[in-house]
């Protein structure tokens, strides 16, 4: 057969060319819709696989153009992000099937053979039995479309459910719930393989609330768990393939368990665990499409655990690197040591007092610790100057918010945090820097950080002056309301300060040493204000 593959990823094209060429097919490759149409106009193409999301021309648009040129060419769409709407739209556009990435080559071949048989049957019916079979064919296509839409809806639900998990524990819990939803069996178990001998240990088990009730429910789950462990110890994980045959039905010899559907979970292609659904009351053999969904859920669970571990490792490494920059910066200036930590603590207290959600406080946790990271790009002669900065020097130090935002931006993880770092020196009346933003145009979390930053600056020793007396510090905050600071944030500050919350938190963060000086009362000083 002459087969056309359209995908903007070269490794995928190389893989399918090698596989299908070895099966004696003539393979044509295109990187986009335009190249594909040129091939179709010059060659006799019998089947086309195309990616759904491509630059320039989407897979749906390509299918439409192919249908206009030759409506006998079956088109199969591939995508890594399925949705019900996309499936219906593409299938209505003449697409004959819809595959979910990552796609196994053997699966592609089976789908192609099925599609070509179906295409041949359709053409035969059109030619020989058009009037008689027309209505029945339409009903069949409608039924297949409905079934395909339902299947895609379930696969999409599996993807969205597992991708929303924020921890390995949550991934396991969601996987168990999905197994019960997919199979409608009585219970589901997630076993992990322990040690070199792959000894199974139950990580989580759950009964179907619709099927299992009564006081004996917990004992039944435990007894079945022992049966399953015994069964798994006798079963090679290699014999539980990620395919429709991954089911063992009519397991009478096990006692409680009558039917089993098992799917392996792998990490980096190594056995990691097994997802098992069981029935206690029926000798059920689950339909092939149900087993397929269960296997898909197990595969996706393994990928989610792997991705979560990778993301957390990257996130922690990046944050550790950036925080090391902050420590390097503060090591240059003894006066600002612990400054970022205190500013973050005060900002988090203000966010909580203002009723902001936990997510906002998590953003401040990053932005607060990194808000002065841009000073790494400012020379010591300016950063540590004991006297007043001249105009050029002040213009230079005004660059540090943009430098810090750019450093964070290169990491590609913290867009909100980047904007807070960029804008923490903006003033409510528009007289701040670097962009002169005013009022509501300044991100609210940056307005919070501004109050925390100034308060810590005036209450600690700096290179150019000693810390200021308490009344002076409070007047700076109070008189800045409406011009330097957002009044709402100032009100929250004094609400906490009058109750002693801010003072207590700052004292907790003070270095414990013999020469430690309490935050207040400060020494009276005639030195200039900042």
């Amino acid at each position: 057969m002459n087969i056309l593959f359209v995908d903007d990823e070269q490794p995928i094209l190389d893989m399918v060319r090698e596989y299908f060429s070895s099966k004696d097919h003539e393979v044509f490759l295109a990187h986009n819709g335009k190249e594909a149409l040129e091939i179709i106009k010059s060659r006799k193409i019998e089947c086309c696989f195309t990616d759904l999301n491509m630059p320039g021309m989407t897979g749906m648009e390509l299918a439409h153009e192919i249908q206009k040129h030759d409506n006998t060419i079956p088109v199969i769409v591939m995508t890594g992000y399925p949705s019900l709407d996309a499936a219906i739209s593409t299938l209505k556009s003449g697409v004959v099937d819809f595959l979910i990435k990552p796609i196994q080559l053997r699966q592609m071949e089976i789908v192609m053979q099925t599609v070509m048989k179906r295409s041949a049957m359709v053409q035969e019916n059109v030619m020989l039995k058009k009037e008689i079979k027309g209505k029945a064919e339409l009903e069949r296509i409608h039924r297949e479309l409905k079934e395909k839409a339902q299947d895609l809806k379930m696969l999409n639900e599996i993807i969205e459910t597992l991708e929303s998990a924020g921890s390995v524990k949550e991934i396991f819990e969601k996987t168990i719930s999905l197994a019960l939803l997919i199979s409608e069996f009585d219970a589901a178990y997630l076993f992990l393989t322990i040690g070199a001998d792959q000894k199974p240990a139950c990580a989580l088990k759950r009964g179907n609330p619709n099927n299992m009730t009564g006081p004996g429910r917990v004992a039944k789950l435990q007894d079945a768990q022992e049966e399953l462990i015994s069964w798994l110890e006798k079963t090679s994980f290699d014999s539980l393939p990620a395919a429709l045959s991954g089911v063992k039905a009519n397991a009478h010899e096990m006692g409680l368990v009558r039917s089993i559907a098992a799917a392996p979970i792998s990490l980096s292609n190594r056995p990691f665990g097994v997802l098992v659904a069981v029935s206690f009351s029926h000798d059920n053999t689950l339909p092939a499409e149900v087993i397929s969904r269960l296997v898909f859920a197990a595969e996706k669970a393994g990928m989610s655990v792997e991705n979560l571990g990778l993301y957390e490792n990257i996130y922690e490494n990046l944050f550790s690197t950036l925080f090391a920059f902050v420590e390097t910066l503060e090591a240059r200036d003894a006066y600002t040591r612990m400054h970022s930590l205190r500013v973050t603590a005060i900002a988090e207290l203000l966010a909580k007092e203002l009723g902001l959600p936990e997510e906002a406080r998590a953003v401040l946790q990053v932005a607060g610790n990194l808000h002065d990271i841009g000073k790494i790009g400012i020379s010591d002669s300016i950063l540590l100057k004991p006297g007043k900065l001249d105009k050029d020097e002040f213009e230079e130090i005004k660059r540090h918010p943009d430098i810090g935002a750019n450093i964070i931006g290169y990491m590609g993880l913290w867009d909100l945090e980047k904007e807070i770092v960029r804008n923490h020196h903006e003033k409510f009346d528009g007289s701040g820097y670097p962009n002169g933003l005013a009022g509501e145009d300044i991100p609210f979390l940056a307005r919070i950080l501004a109050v925390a930053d100034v308060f810590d600056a005036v209450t600690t020793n700096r290179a150019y002056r000693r810390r200021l007396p308490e009344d002076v510090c409070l007047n700076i905050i109070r008189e800045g309301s409406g011009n330097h600071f957002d009044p709402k944030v100032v009100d929250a500050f004094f609400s906490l300060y009058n109750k002693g919350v801010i003072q207590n938190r700052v004292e907790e963060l003070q270095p414990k040493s013999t020469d430690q000086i309490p935050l207040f009362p400060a020494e009276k000083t005639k030195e200039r204000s900042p």
Side-chain angles (χ1 to χ4, degrees):
M1 290 177 56
N2 292 346
I3 314 170
L4 173 61
F5 295 92
V6 190
D7 201 300
D8 56 351
E9 295 185 47
Q10 187 63 41
I12 292 179
L13 294 179
D14 293 339
M15 180 175 63
V16 297
R17 175 172 55 192
E18 180 178 357
Y19 181 83
F20 285 92
S21 295
S22 69
K23 303 289 185 178
D24 295 327
H25 297 295
E26 185 73 12
V27 176
F28 298 88
L29 306 178
H31 298 88
N32 52 56
K34 183 179 179 181
E35 290 182 14
L37 291 176
E38 291 175 356
I39 293 172
I40 285 174
K41 291 175 182 177
S42 62
R43 300 281 186 169
K44 176 61 179 176
I45 298 298
E46 298 170 82
C47 184
C48 175
F49 288 81
T50 178
D51 190 17
L52 182 60
N53 297 311
M54 297 183 295
M57 181 184 298
T58 67
M60 190 181 302
E61 292 169 342
L62 175 59
H64 183 68
E65 292 297 321
I66 292 174
Q67 288 295 306
K68 288 197 298 185
H69 176 76
D70 184 350
N71 62 8
T72 65
I73 300 176
V75 179
I76 302 164
V77 163
M78 306 175 291
T79 181
Y81 300 93
S83 70
L84 181 58
D85 291 340
I88 293 174
S89 297
T90 52
L91 292 171
K92 284 184 176 179
S93 298
V95 173
V96 298
D97 214 330
F98 197 95
L99 296 178
I100 310 300
K101 290 183 178 181
I103 298 168
Q104 297 179 358
L105 293 170
R106 177 56 181 162
Q107 180 188 12
M108 293 178 70
E109 185 179 24
I110 292 173
V111 169
M112 182 187 69
Q113 293 170 351
T114 303
V115 164
M116 295 310 298
K117 289 178 182 178
R118 186 189 308 163
S119 179
M121 291 176 61
V122 171
Q123 292 183 44
E124 180 184 355
N125 287 340
V126 170
M127 291 185 294
L128 303 178
K129 306 172 184 178
K130 183 176 181 179
E131 294 183 3
I132 299 174
K133 299 289 186 179
K135 184 179 179 180
E137 183 66 16
L138 287 175
E139 290 177 349
R140 183 184 66 80
I141 292 174
H142 177 74
R143 185 171 57 255
E144 288 183 356
L145 174 61
K146 185 177 180 181
E147 292 172 353
K148 196 71 175 178
Q150 291 174 340
D151 192 46
L152 286 170
K153 182 179 179 181
M154 174 58 73
L155 295 180
N156 196 54
E157 183 175 348
I158 292 171
I159 292 173
E160 290 181 351
T161 298
L162 291 175
E163 286 187 348
S164 67
S167 66
V168 173
K169 180 182 178 182
E170 192 175 356
I171 291 172
F172 288 171
E173 291 174 344
K174 289 179 180 291
T175 303
I176 284 285
S177 298
L178 285 169
L180 292 174
L181 176 66
I182 293 168
S183 68
E184 298 183 349
F185 268 10
D186 296 319
Y189 297 79
L190 197 152
F191 293 94
L192 301 183
T193 54
I194 307 299
D197 58 352
Q198 296 186 348
K199 182 177 177 61
C202 185
L204 199 63
K205 57 179 176 286
R206 183 171 299 166
N208 189 331
N210 297 323
N211 301 359
M212 291 190 67
T213 57
R217 172 178 168 274
V218 174
K220 194 171 188 178
L221 283 173
Q222 182 61 37
D223 291 343
Q225 173 182 319
E226 299 303 321
E227 291 183 11
L228 290 170
I229 288 176
S230 177
W231 174 69
L232 287 170
E233 287 176 340
K234 301 173 185 175
T235 304
S236 168
F237 291 106
D238 293 335
S239 68
L240 297 173
L244 301 185
S245 58
V247 62
K248 180 178 177 64
N250 302 318
H252 298 288
E253 71 278 3
M254 299 183 71
L256 278 174
V257 177
R258 301 289 296 276
S259 300
I260 303 172
I265 301 175
S266 299
L267 286 182
S268 300
N269 297 320
R270 295 182 178 181
F272 173 71
V274 183
L275 178 63
V276 181
V278 300
S279 173
F280 299 132
S281 54
H282 301 289
D283 298 336
N284 293 352
T285 300
L286 292 174
E289 62 271 16
V290 175
I291 296 295
S292 179
R293 294 170 188 172
L294 193 69
V295 169
F296 183 80
E299 290 177 346
K300 187 62 182 177
M303 292 171 60
S304 297
V305 171
E306 192 168 351
N307 291 341
L308 182 64
L310 178 63
Y311 175 81
E312 288 181 344
N313 186 53
I314 292 173
Y315 185 93
E316 290 174 2
N317 286 342
L318 287 179
F319 194 82
S320 297
T321 300
L322 291 176
F323 203 79
F325 287 162
V326 174
E327 291 182 339
T328 300
L329 172 66
E330 295 189 345
R332 293 163 63 190
D333 179 7
Y335 291 111
T336 62
R337 194 178 301 276
M338 299 289 289
H339 168 67
S340 298
L341 189 63
R342 291 191 300 268
V343 168
T344 301
I346 296 170
E348 288 183 293
L349 289 174
L350 291 172
K352 186 175 182 180
E353 178 70 11
L354 288 162
L356 299 186
E358 186 65 35
E359 292 81 358
R361 283 175 262 165
V363 171
L364 281 172
Q365 172 68 221
V366 175
N369 278 294
L370 302 178
H371 76 282
D372 271 344
I373 193 173
K375 288 183 179 179
I376 200 85
I378 306 299
S379 69
D380 285 352
S381 62
I382 296 175
L383 192 63
L384 305 180
K385 184 176 180 178
K388 185 177 181 179
L389 301 177
D390 63 30
K391 182 179 178 180
D392 291 339
E393 290 169 334
F394 185 58
E395 289 300 317
E396 177 67 15
I397 207 164
K398 282 166 63 176
R399 294 177 54 240
H400 83 269
D402 276 331
I403 295 173
N406 291 337
I407 291 173
I408 296 174
Y410 291 142
M411 303 304 177
L413 291 177
W414 299 301
D415 290 337
L416 291 174
E417 293 83 347
K418 178 180 70 174
E419 291 310 307
I420 297 169
V421 170
R422 189 189 305 280
N423 296 302
H424 76 278
H425 277 295
E426 299 288 0
K427 295 184 179 180
F428 203 66
D429 61 4
S431 63
Y433 61 87
N435 297 312
L437 301 182
E440 301 294 327
D441 290 337
I442 306 171
F444 189 50
L445 296 183
R447 288 177 253 159
I448 292 174
L449 199 65
V451 173
D453 189 29
V454 170
F455 177 73
D456 189 73
V458 297
T459 57
T460 53
N461 294 327
R462 310 306 293 267
Y464 52 84
R465 58 137 177 85
R466 298 281 293 171
R467 56 195 175 88
L468 302 178
E470 178 179 10
D471 57 341
V472 175
C473 296
L474 297 180
N475 280 336
I476 289 173
I477 302 297
R478 186 179 293 108
E479 293 173 2
S481 180
N483 46 70
H484 191 154
F485 308 120
D486 184 334
K488 294 193 295 292
V489 181
V490 172
D491 290 344
F493 172 86
F494 279 104
S495 175
L496 291 171
Y497 193 88
N498 292 336
K499 292 183 284 190
V501 175
I502 289 178
Q503 302 93 307
N504 291 338
R505 184 69 180 113
V506 172
E507 293 295 343
E508 290 174 2
L509 297 173
Q510 290 288 85
K512 300 298 184 285
S513 62
T514 56
D515 59 348
Q516 178 180 337
I517 303 173
L519 177 64
F520 290 118
E523 298 177 8
K524 299 297 180 182
T525 177
K526 296 180 180 180
E527 295 180 70
R528 64 176 176 85
S529 61

